[in-house]
Structures are given as C-alpha cells and as structure tokens.
Amino acid sequence: MKKRNSQYTGNKKGARRERPLGVREEAARARKRKRAGGYYDERVYSQKEYMEMDRDKAVSAKRMRESGDLAKKKNREVVDEVIWRKNKKAGKKKVPAKKRLTVLFIAVVLLFGIGYFCFQYMRVENIAVDGVEGEDAQNVIALSGLVQGTHIFNVDREKAKEQIDAEPYYEYRSIEYDFPNSVVIHVNKRRVSGAFEHNGRYVLIDENGIALGKQNIKTALKVPVLYGLGTVTYEIGYEIRVDDTEKQGFMTALLAALNDSALAGTIRAVDFTNKNNAVMVNDAGMTIEVGEEKDVADKIKFASKVLERLKKEGKTKGRLDASSKARISYFEEGSDVSKDIIT
C-alpha cells in the first residue's frame, strides 16, 4: 500500500506525532508551490522534505526583503538629497533688478570718487633725499627733475636715474613713494679716494676706480697720488682701465682698506711699481711697505696701530715693513737695523 505524505502535530502534553495529510491538502500545497515557481513533479515528498523546502524559501524571501530594503534606503537618501538641494536653491532670494542697478550705481560713484581723490591729492609735496645732506641733497633733487605738485603717477624714475647717474659723484639707488604726498630719493655719494697724473692733470677716482673729475694742483689733493699703474685710460663717470689688471685689483682693494682704517686722509702717495710690494708714504714722511694684495686690509689696520704707538714714542720717520699681518718691522731713518713688533 502506498504511504501517504504526513505532517507533525502536537498533543496537549507537547509530544509530536505524525498525522497523514489529506489528498486535497497535498494537492493544494503542490499547486501553491507551482504558482510560486517552485519545482513540482509527480513524486510525493515526506514531511521533512516539505519543511526543508519551506525553510529555504523563507531564507530566500528574507534575503530578497533585505536587499529590497537596502535599495529603498539608498533611493530614499538620493531623493532626500535632491529635495534638500531644491529647497536650498529655492530658499535663495532673487535680488530685484532695480536693487542690482542701485548697488552698481553706488559702486561706480565710489570708484569715481576714489579716482578723483587720487588724481587731486596724490601729488608730490615733500621731496627728501637719503644718503646725502645739505647742498648735496639740493643738487640731487635738482638733478632728479622732481618738482612739487607733480602727480605721483607722473614721476619718471628712469629719467631721474639717468640724470642723477650723469653726475659722477652721485650713484642712484631708488625713488620711494611715502604716502600720502612725499617722495624719497635714495642715493650714494662717491668718495674721492685717490688720484693719478694724466697729461699734467690729476684724475680723481673713488675706491672702485670710478673717474670723478680732474684737478690741476697737486698740493690741493687730500688723497694719495697713485704711481706705477702703467698705462691708464679713463672716462669721467666710468671705471678706469689699467693695462695690468692685477695692479687695478690691488689698487681698489688698498683704497677701500684705507677708507676703512685710521690711515684715511694721512697717506700722500702709493707706488704700485712692484705689484708684489706696494709702498705708501704718509704725510709725516714714514714709508710703509704692505707687500702683496693678500690680507691688505688686515695689514693696513695693524700698521695704523703701530704708527700710533711709534708716534707716542716720537718716531714719525723711517720705514715700516708691514708685508705680514702677524709681524711688523720698524727701521729708523738711515738705519738697517729693524725692531720687530709682533701683534
């Protein structure tokens, strides 16, 4: 006899027993599974197989619900974002055209007012000079071409530079505007540091070798006269050219060192005939040998201290060998015996 399908049920005491399914109930379940797309065949399933199939269907349904809920959540977030943006855009108030025109008109008036103020009041009233004083400052202002009342935008810096540099004694640096109505001209004044003879006249130069002018009388010079340079070509306002470039470099280094030492204004002559041993003579008649160009600044500072010491001892003439920055030898006038002075 063919065994029919059955299902479990419980009694009052909780025990489980197998109850056979009816034909109609079995057919109804089969139709239901068929409509749901489940597998259907002619075989008859046991109650356990039915339970496993129902459990699998429940798990699949749960997963489908969860995936559907997730998709709905994402879709809802996107919709909320779109709605928020639309509300935000709608919340911005549109400025009326009349108000926009009013604001534009006020802005134009303000710009015009500022421009008018700049044009009327940004004019040069005070002109100052940095780097020189007194008569030199007045000369620089005159050379610059600046006058009171000139509009600040009309100040020609290139022209001022060209005209100031045309005067050898002044070196243009810059022109600075000082709000609201002042201008400062920055310059350097070149210092006469030496001279050399050329065609019976003395050409004045600064410590960089820039030719500044000419002078006829030697006794009026308060700077050292340079000898032994060889052939020299020059043009006022420009650097001189010496055939021996080593001598030219030694000359500029020595003049700069003299300007920075206590010997400034006391040296009357410098002889560069031997470029390995330049010889200076001060206004008291002391001969000072400084050797080669190396360490010339240190040697001149050392020599100035020794000369001050010798002056206190009443020794103002003779010969000083300062070719070393560590030791100076002093020879009294007419003597070959030296006295070493160590730093």
Side-chain angles (χ1 to χ4, degrees):
M1 182 175 179
K2 186 175 181 181
K3 187 177 179 181
R4 303 182 67 181
N5 235 342
S6 63
Q7 67 179 4
Y8 289 97
T9 184
N11 58 13
K12 293 181 179 180
K13 294 182 180 181
R16 300 182 66 84
R17 63 185 178 83
E18 193 173 342
R19 179 177 68 83
L21 295 174
V23 176
R24 291 184 179 180
E25 188 176 7
E26 233 180 272
R29 287 194 175 190
R31 287 194 299 272
K32 185 177 180 182
R33 284 196 298 272
K34 187 175 182 181
R35 285 198 301 269
Y39 178 77
Y40 176 76
D41 56 18
E42 295 297 332
R43 58 179 284 209
V44 178
Y45 296 93
S46 68
Q47 181 64 25
K48 186 177 180 180
E49 290 175 325
Y50 277 127
M51 291 178 67
E52 289 177 354
M53 292 171 64
D54 289 341
R55 185 171 61 251
D56 292 342
K57 286 175 62 178
V59 171
S60 299
K62 184 179 179 182
R63 288 178 179 172
M64 290 180 66
R65 284 197 304 272
E66 290 177 351
S67 61
D69 292 343
L70 182 61
K72 288 179 181 179
K73 184 179 178 182
K74 290 185 178 180
N75 186 52
R76 187 163 55 250
E77 290 177 353
V78 173
V79 172
D80 291 344
E81 177 73 13
V82 173
I83 294 174
W84 179 81
R85 290 185 180 277
K86 288 180 67 177
N87 291 339
K88 183 179 178 182
K89 187 174 181 181
K92 293 182 178 179
K93 294 183 179 180
K94 203 169 184 180
V95 181
K98 186 176 181 181
K99 190 173 182 179
R100 291 202 302 271
L101 290 175
T102 303
V103 173
L104 180 61
F105 175 76
I106 293 173
V108 171
V109 170
L110 287 174
L111 289 174
F112 179 79
I114 294 171
Y116 181 77
F117 171 81
C118 294
F119 181 78
Q120 289 295 325
Y121 297 101
M122 293 180 69
R123 296 179 179 274
V124 177
E125 298 296 336
N126 302 308
I127 304 174
V129 180
D130 172 51
V132 294
E133 299 177 348
E135 186 177 350
D136 285 321
Q138 296 302 318
N139 291 339
V140 170
I141 293 173
L143 289 169
S144 70
L146 297 179
V147 295
Q148 292 181 336
T150 302
H151 196 278
I152 188 63
F153 296 124
N154 291 334
V155 174
D156 193 339
R157 288 176 169 80
E158 290 299 324
K159 183 178 180 181
K161 177 183 185 305
E162 181 181 350
Q163 294 180 164
I164 292 173
D165 285 342
E167 172 53 54
Y169 282 90
Y170 303 123
E171 180 184 9
Y172 173 90
R173 282 161 40 204
S174 65
I175 290 181
E176 182 181 2
Y177 176 62
D178 189 11
F179 186 84
N181 56 3
S182 298
V183 167
V184 182
I185 307 172
H186 299 275
V187 297
N188 291 328
K189 184 175 181 180
R190 293 189 173 100
R191 175 181 177 180
V192 178
S193 301
F196 64 91
E197 187 178 3
H198 187 271
N199 293 334
R201 304 182 70 184
Y202 292 92
V203 180
L204 309 178
I205 62 173
D206 73 348
E207 64 182 39
N208 295 314
I210 304 297
L212 304 178
K214 298 178 183 179
Q215 188 167 307
N216 294 326
I217 305 173
K218 179 180 178 180
T219 55
L221 294 174
K222 297 181 180 180
V223 293
V225 178
L226 311 177
Y227 299 97
L229 292 175
T231 304
V232 181
T233 56
Y234 73 94
E235 183 178 351
I236 300 299
Y238 297 91
E239 186 178 4
I240 66 172
R241 289 287 179 266
V242 180
D243 286 349
D244 191 332
T245 56
E246 291 185 5
K247 285 186 178 181
Q248 182 166 353
F250 194 178
M251 175 199 71
T252 55
L254 188 143
L255 292 179
L258 285 175
N259 286 340
D260 292 335
S261 73
L263 295 182
T266 66
I267 303 299
R268 292 294 167 256
V270 182
D271 188 356
F272 291 98
T273 301
N274 181 359
K275 60 185 176 183
N276 294 318
N277 186 24
V279 179
M280 305 187 300
V281 179
N282 69 3
D283 49 9
M286 178 75 74
T287 300
I288 307 162
E289 300 175 355
V290 295
E292 59 184 2
E293 180 183 351
K294 183 181 179 181
D295 299 323
V296 66
D298 293 333
K299 290 184 283 189
I300 286 177
K301 288 180 180 179
F302 186 18
S304 66
K305 294 178 181 179
V306 173
L307 287 171
E308 186 66 25
R309 176 177 166 182
L310 292 174
K311 185 178 180 180
K312 291 179 180 179
E313 297 176 2
K315 300 174 181 178
T316 58
K317 295 185 181 294
R319 180 168 64 91
L320 207 65
D321 183 357
S323 57
S324 171
K325 67 175 182 178
R327 178 192 298 271
I328 287 183
S329 299
Y330 169 65
F331 299 83
E332 291 187 354
E333 190 175 16
S335 174
D336 292 333
V337 179
S338 66
K339 176 183 178 182
D340 291 341
I341 302 173
I342 303 174
T343 182

